[in-house]
């Protein structure tokens, strides 16, 4: 498939596709981070994760409209407000869902899958009824439009750079929260041995609720970032859910580092192959490879060593 | 009560007769031919639900990819019917007569090799049974030998369903793409589009379904079925007792896949087309809900659950299309949270004891079992 390209051209193609892959990587990481916390740490299969993402996207859309109509002077900064709102909104919904549904199902992980699938159907229809079936896109502030030329072939879109910077920030924040804070320590303790954690005085119910809430909140932020690179409709969330689960499982469910590494591998592979093959074949090959590797290494790339 | 080696207990014979009467007598008499065809279509999903009862309820393997096997069965049948309806005479206006129309539209001039066997009905029937079984065997060996189970198995089967859908849609020239294989007319010269043909196909479906139900019941009641339950409840202990757990799981997964494929083939015959929208993630999960609503531990429940959910779906999407997803979502959540054993569980806990008491009082004896004991097979 490489015939007919010179080495220099190949280099630029790889660089360009690599960059496109980095944007995909950012979206994957943002989605997968929330999922890695919920699935990897709590063992809950949240099929409604995509819908939490869409909630964030809709919140961003409304915030941008609000700024555009009422305080246009501050429009260039709407995104930061939207992001905070998306986190709070999706997180609050997540905590509500945990209280009403998930906490009754901790012993039955496969049933959380069905129940959250039901939730995702309800949310989808809710979005469709309230916001309409049409896809919506946000208007970007001026400083996010345009692209930086690197060489005469390669151009780098600024919104892509911004999404990547955002991903880096959020990932760092999550890493610090999980591995450097007291709260993160509690989360990891509860997930490794719920009974023992309760015995040493950790309020496991509270930890569960906040963990789920934060996982969903991160999905909301991901949705917020998602509006910069694509448009949003009621069913957009479902397009990504399988990919995201594969990312989390491929990386090793309990390892955040693994999640990031696998998101990188999968997004780069897909984006590079997309240039040479059709998009659907690239996706098929990538997913097949991931499934194949998972069969060889069922626990994923990075395994956390825990005594069972 | 007879002992366990007879695979149908007395009350199950009653259930079987009731189900057969409902499907073979009541429905054909009460429904017009359009509705009857609709019920026939629902029943093809019941094959999948039967497989899921074995696979998920009995063995604890939740497959979110049953649409794969339903689709494989359906596509095998569709390929045969398509070849029959694209004889050189019927497709004379194409630039290459004698190949299916969508291949012609995609500039393919020769029938691909994997279409060749589908000229023969016998080979097609073999393919409907063997292709899904082989595919399931490959997945099963790769997963169960490596001790991939539970959640991971569910996610990977889901991914495979997604891969297959993308592949079918992407390879338009070979598969008909997103439209699927359409415009199917005859089976060995017999027009399948007439009302009479649809009625005949309905009865064939019912007969096959009852046959599959008996076969599934036989598997459940055998020693093998009891080992499966043991694997579901405490896999490690069964393994330590010297059984090769993975082989048991592979077999039941293949068995369920064949059931699903038979359903898919009957679906194609009754509906007259097959498309990737019956293969992917969404239909696969819906099939799980049919089984869950009926009761994941009951074969009869699976059939009734399938009929119930599909009937509700038809009613809702005819009258209140926007409410259907809400209702479906509520059904998912309600089944999981409020009655995990589905309709069959409700029956066993609330209705069955009444019958038992009535039967006991007629026999002049006091009720032997307290109501709670009737809910024998509780999920652990």
């Amino acid at each position: 498939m490489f015939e007919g390209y010179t080495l220099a051209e190949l280099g630029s193609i790889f660089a360009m596709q690599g960059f496109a892959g980095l944007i995909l990587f950012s979206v994957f990481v943002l989605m997968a981070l929330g999922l890695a916390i919920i699935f990897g740490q709590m063992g809950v299969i949240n099929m409604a994760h995509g819908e939490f993402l869409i909630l964030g996207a809709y919140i961003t859309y409304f915030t941008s409209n609000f700024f555009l109509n009422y305080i246009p002077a501050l429009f260039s900064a709407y995104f930061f407000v939207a992001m905070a709102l998306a986190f709070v909104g999706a997180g609050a919904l997540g905590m509500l869902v945990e209280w009403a549904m998930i906490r009754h199902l901790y012993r039955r992980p496969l049933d959380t899958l069905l129940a959250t699938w039901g939730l995702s159907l309800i949310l989808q229809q809710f979005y469709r009824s309230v916001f309409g079936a049409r896809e919506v896109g946000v208007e970007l502030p001026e400083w996010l439009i345009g692209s930086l030329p690197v060489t005469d072939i390669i151009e780098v879109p600024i919104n892509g750079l911004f999404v990547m910077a955002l991903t880096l920030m959020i990932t760092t924040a999550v890493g610090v929260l999980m591995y450097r804070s007291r709260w993160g320590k509690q989360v990891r303790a509860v997930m490794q041995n719920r009974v023992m954690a309760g015995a040493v005085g950790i309020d496991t119910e509270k930890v569960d609720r906040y963990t789920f809430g934060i996982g969903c909140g991160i999905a909301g932020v991901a949705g917020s970032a998602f509006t910069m690179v694509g448009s949003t409709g009621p069913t957009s969330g479902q397009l990504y859910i399988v990919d995201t689960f594969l990312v989390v499982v491929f990386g090793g469910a309990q390892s955040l580092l693994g999640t990031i590494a696998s998101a990188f591998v999968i997004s780069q592979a897909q984006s590079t192959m997309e240039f040479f093959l059709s998009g659907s074949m690239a996706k098929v090959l990538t997913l097949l490879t991931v499934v194949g590797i998972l069969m060889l290494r069922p626990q994923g790339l990075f395994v956390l060593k825990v005594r069972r | 009560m007879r002992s366990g080696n007879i695979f149908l207990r007395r009350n199950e014979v009653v259930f079987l007769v009731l189900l057969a009467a409902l499907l073979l007598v009541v429905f054909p008499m009460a429904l017009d031919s359009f509705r009857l065809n609709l019920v026939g279509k629902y029943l093809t999903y019941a094959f999948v639900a039967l497989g899921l009862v074995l696979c998920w309820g009995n063995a604890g393997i939740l497959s979110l990819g049953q649409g794969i096997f339903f689709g494989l069965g359906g596509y095998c049948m569709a390929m045969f019917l398509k070849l029959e309806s694209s004889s050189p005479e019927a497709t004379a206006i194409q630039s290459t007569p004698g190949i299916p129309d969508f291949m012609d539209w995609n500039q393919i001039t020769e029938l691909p090799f994997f279409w060749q066997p589908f000229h023969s009905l016998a080979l097609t029937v073999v393919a409907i049974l063997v292709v899904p079984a082989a595919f399931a065997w490959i997945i099963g060996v790769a997963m169960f030998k490596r001790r991939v189970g539970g959640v991971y198995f569910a996610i990977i089967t889901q991914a495979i369903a997604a891969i297959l859908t993308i592949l079918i849609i992407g390879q338009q020239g070979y598969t008909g793409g997103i439209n699927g294989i359409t415009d199917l007319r005859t089976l060995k010269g017999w027009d399948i589009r007439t009302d009479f043909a649809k009625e005949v196909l309905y009865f064939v479906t019912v007969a096959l379904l009852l046959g599959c139900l008996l076969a599934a019941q036989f598997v459940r009641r055998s020693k093998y079925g009891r080992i499966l339950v043991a694997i579901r409840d405490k896999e490690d202990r069964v393994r330590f007792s010297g059984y090769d757990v993975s082989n048991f799981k592979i077999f039941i997964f293949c068995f369920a896949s064949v059931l699903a494929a038979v359903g898919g083939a009957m679906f194609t015959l009754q509906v007259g087309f097959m498309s990737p929208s019956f293969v992917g993630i969404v239909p696969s999960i819906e099939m799980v809900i049919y089984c869950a609503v009926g009761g994941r531990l009951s074969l009869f429940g699976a059939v009734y659950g399938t009929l119930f959910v599909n009937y509700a779906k038809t009613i809702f999407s005819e009258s209140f299309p926007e409410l259907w997803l809400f209702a479906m979502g509520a059904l998912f959540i309600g089944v999981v949270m409020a009655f995990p054993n589905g309709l069959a569980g409700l029956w066993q806990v609330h209705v069955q004891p009444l019958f038992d008491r009535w039967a006991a009082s007629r026999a002049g004896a006091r009720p032997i079992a307290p109501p709670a004991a009737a809910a024998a097979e509780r999920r652990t």
Side-chain angles (χ1 to χ4, degrees):
Chain A
M1 62 192 193
F2 296 130
E3 296 96 31
Y5 296 104
T6 66
L7 214 55
E9 273 173 341
L10 273 182
S12 320
I13 288 167
F14 278 119
M16 222 159 62
Q17 292 304 111
F19 189 81
L22 280 181
I23 296 177
L24 188 65
F25 164 65
S26 307
V27 174
F28 275 173
V29 166
L30 283 176
M31 264 196 89
L33 269 183
L35 206 64
I37 292 175
I38 292 173
F39 175 58
Q41 310 289 326
M42 304 178 75
V44 172
I45 312 172
N46 183 15
M47 295 301 282
H49 199 72
E51 278 64 40
F52 283 98
L53 176 122
I54 299 304
L55 181 66
Y58 274 120
I59 290 176
T60 311
Y61 170 71
F62 280 104
T63 317
S64 84
N65 276 1
F66 180 81
F67 271 67
L68 205 59
N69 293 330
Y70 296 100
I71 26 180
L74 292 175
F75 183 69
S76 55
Y78 86 88
F79 189 73
F80 300 99
V81 180
M83 220 164 64
L85 284 178
F87 182 79
V88 173
L93 181 64
M95 277 159 69
L96 181 71
V97 167
E98 202 275 347
W99 173 78
M101 206 164 87
I102 307 290
R103 71 188 166 121
H104 305 291
L105 302 173
Y106 280 122
R107 286 161 185 277
R108 304 183 277 161
L110 287 177
D111 287 357
T112 61
L113 189 158
L114 289 180
T116 51
W117 179 265
L119 178 70
S120 90
L121 292 183
I122 290 177
L123 286 175
Q124 274 172 35
Q125 186 56 45
F126 178 76
Y127 298 148
R128 198 172 293 133
S129 306
V130 176
F131 307 127
R134 211 165 43 87
E135 297 219 326
V136 296
V138 298
E139 204 161 315
L140 293 177
E142 241 170 66
W143 56 276
L144 279 173
I145 300 171
S147 53
L148 298 173
V150 178
T151 67
D152 37 345
I153 311 180
I154 307 169
E155 276 194 352
V156 182
I158 293 177
N159 59 0
L161 279 178
F162 182 71
V163 171
M164 283 177 344
L166 206 63
T167 307
L168 191 67
M169 261 158 47
I170 294 168
T171 312
T172 318
V174 171
V176 169
L177 191 67
M178 292 300 291
Y179 294 101
R180 288 288 175 271
S181 75
R182 196 182 159 75
W183 181 80
K185 206 179 269 177
Q186 289 188 350
V187 173
R188 287 180 292 138
V190 170
M191 300 325 151
Q192 286 191 16
N193 193 332
R194 187 176 299 267
V195 180
M196 190 57 83
V200 296
I202 296 174
D203 185 347
T204 57
E205 286 189 10
K206 200 169 129 195
V207 169
D208 283 333
R209 186 148 321 144
Y210 283 102
T211 314
F212 198 81
I214 286 182
C216 292
I218 294 172
V221 177
S224 205
F226 190 66
T227 57
M228 315 229 121
V229 287
S231 54
T232 312
T235 48
S236 316
Q238 257 182 1
L239 298 177
Y240 284 90
I241 193 74
V242 171
D243 291 329
T244 316
F245 263 110
L246 275 187
V247 165
V248 173
V249 172
F250 186 50
Q254 280 145 341
S255 157
L256 286 184
L257 185 69
T259 302
I260 294 165
S262 79
F264 185 76
V265 173
I266 291 176
S267 58
Q268 288 301 329
Q270 190 168 322
S271 155
T272 312
M273 278 193 287
E274 242 166 42
F275 190 87
F276 298 102
L277 303 161
S278 69
S280 65
M281 282 316 284
K283 186 142 194 192
V284 166
L285 277 182
T286 317
L287 291 182
L288 266 184
T289 317
V290 170
V291 168
I293 295 177
L294 272 180
M295 285 171 175
L296 298 175
R297 248 187 106 82
Q299 298 302 316
L301 294 177
F302 293 77
V303 188
L304 187 66
K305 290 207 167 48
V306 188
R307 190 196 276 184
R308 298 261 166 222
Chain B
M1 206 54 81
R2 297 252 183 86
S3 60
N5 56 3
I6 302 296
F7 76 94
L8 274 180
R9 299 214 178 101
R10 197 172 51 188
N11 60 346
E12 283 160 352
V13 175
V14 176
F15 287 152
L16 187 70
V17 171
L18 282 178
L19 182 66
L22 179 72
L23 296 179
L24 291 173
V25 182
V26 178
F27 280 160
M29 281 172 61
L31 302 172
D32 57 40
S33 83
F34 172 74
R35 293 274 159 186
L36 192 66
N37 182 231
L38 217 53
V39 173
K41 193 178 105 182
Y42 302 161
L43 287 178
T44 59
Y45 293 123
F47 287 87
V48 188
L50 287 183
L52 277 167
V53 168
L54 291 176
C55 211
W56 179 33
N58 271 42
I61 309 161
L62 176 55
S63 156
L64 290 183
Q66 291 306 97
I68 302 171
F69 308 116
F70 187 79
L72 283 177
Y75 266 98
C76 286
M77 185 50 98
M79 283 156 87
F80 171 74
L81 297 177
K82 188 73 195 170
L83 282 185
E84 196 177 302
S85 69
S86 21
S87 59
E89 303 84 57
T91 53
I93 49 163
Q94 288 177 176
S95 48
T96 319
I99 64 168
D101 45 12
F102 58 83
M103 290 188 186
D104 194 55
W105 301 333
N106 286 286
Q107 278 91 44
I108 289 174
T109 51
E110 204 179 336
L111 200 64
F113 71 94
F114 61 89
W115 275 75
Q116 298 294 355
F118 293 97
H119 279 297
S120 139
L121 181 61
L123 280 181
T124 304
V125 172
V126 171
I128 289 170
L129 302 175
V130 169
V131 171
F135 201 61
W137 185 79
I138 294 170
I139 298 176
V141 168
M143 310 277 269
F144 297 132
K145 293 278 181 198
R146 302 285 310 177
R147 298 189 190 173
V148 180
V151 174
Y152 293 89
F153 184 77
I155 290 173
I156 291 179
T157 46
Q158 193 174 38
I160 296 173
I163 293 171
L164 198 66
T165 320
I166 299 171
L167 200 63
I168 290 174
I169 294 175
Q171 297 300 314
Q172 278 197 42
Y174 301 115
T175 59
I178 196 150
N179 298 321
I181 300 181
T182 52
D183 199 19
L184 309 173
R185 293 177 203 139
T186 54
L187 175 72
K188 281 279 171 201
W190 179 57
D191 194 336
I192 57 168
R193 290 168 302 173
T194 61
D195 280 354
F196 173 70
K198 290 200 163 154
E199 220 156 279
V200 172
L201 285 172
Y202 171 82
F203 284 108
V204 173
T205 309
V206 172
L208 275 175
L209 182 68
L210 294 176
C212 287
L213 199 149
L214 286 178
Q217 181 70 7
F218 177 71
V219 171
R220 280 182 95 193
R221 275 290 142 71
S222 61
K223 178 174 174 235
Y224 169 80
R226 292 205 298 279
I227 294 172
L228 276 184
V229 174
I231 291 174
R232 177 192 74 194
D233 291 341
K234 211 83 194 169
E235 182 169 338
D236 283 338
R237 282 196 199 164
V238 182
R239 186 177 288 128
F240 296 154
S241 311
Y243 291 98
D244 188 345
V245 171
S246 57
N247 284 342
F248 284 83
K249 289 178 154 186
I250 292 166
F251 173 79
I252 203 71
F253 187 53
C254 292
F255 190 73
S257 79
V258 172
L259 289 184
V262 172
M266 289 315 292
F267 179 88
T268 305
L269 277 174
Q270 292 192 73
V271 179
F273 74 99
M274 188 72 213
S275 87
S277 59
F278 302 104
V279 178
I281 296 167
V282 176
S284 299
I285 294 189
E286 279 190 9
M287 288 164 191
V288 173
I289 201 68
Y290 302 154
C291 166
V293 167
R296 62 186 83 171
L297 294 171
S298 162
L299 293 170
F300 291 99
V303 177
Y304 289 114
T306 314
L307 286 174
F308 171 73
V309 177
N310 278 296
Y311 179 68
K313 184 175 185 170
T314 310
I315 294 288
F316 268 102
S317 30
E318 274 172 8
S319 341
F320 323 97
E322 69 281 7
L323 280 184
W324 165 240
L325 278 184
F326 284 131
M328 184 87 167
L331 199 60
F332 268 94
I333 297 173
V335 164
V336 169
M337 301 203 42
F339 49 114
N341 285 333
L343 293 175
L346 290 178
W347 169 272
Q348 277 170 346
V349 176
H350 295 294
V351 186
Q352 184 82 49
L354 297 179
F355 277 97
D356 288 350
R357 222 171 299 155
W358 177 71
S361 70
R362 268 183 49 123
R366 278 177 304 169
I368 311 157
E377 276 191 301
R378 281 284 187 128
R379 208 166 155 271
T380 48

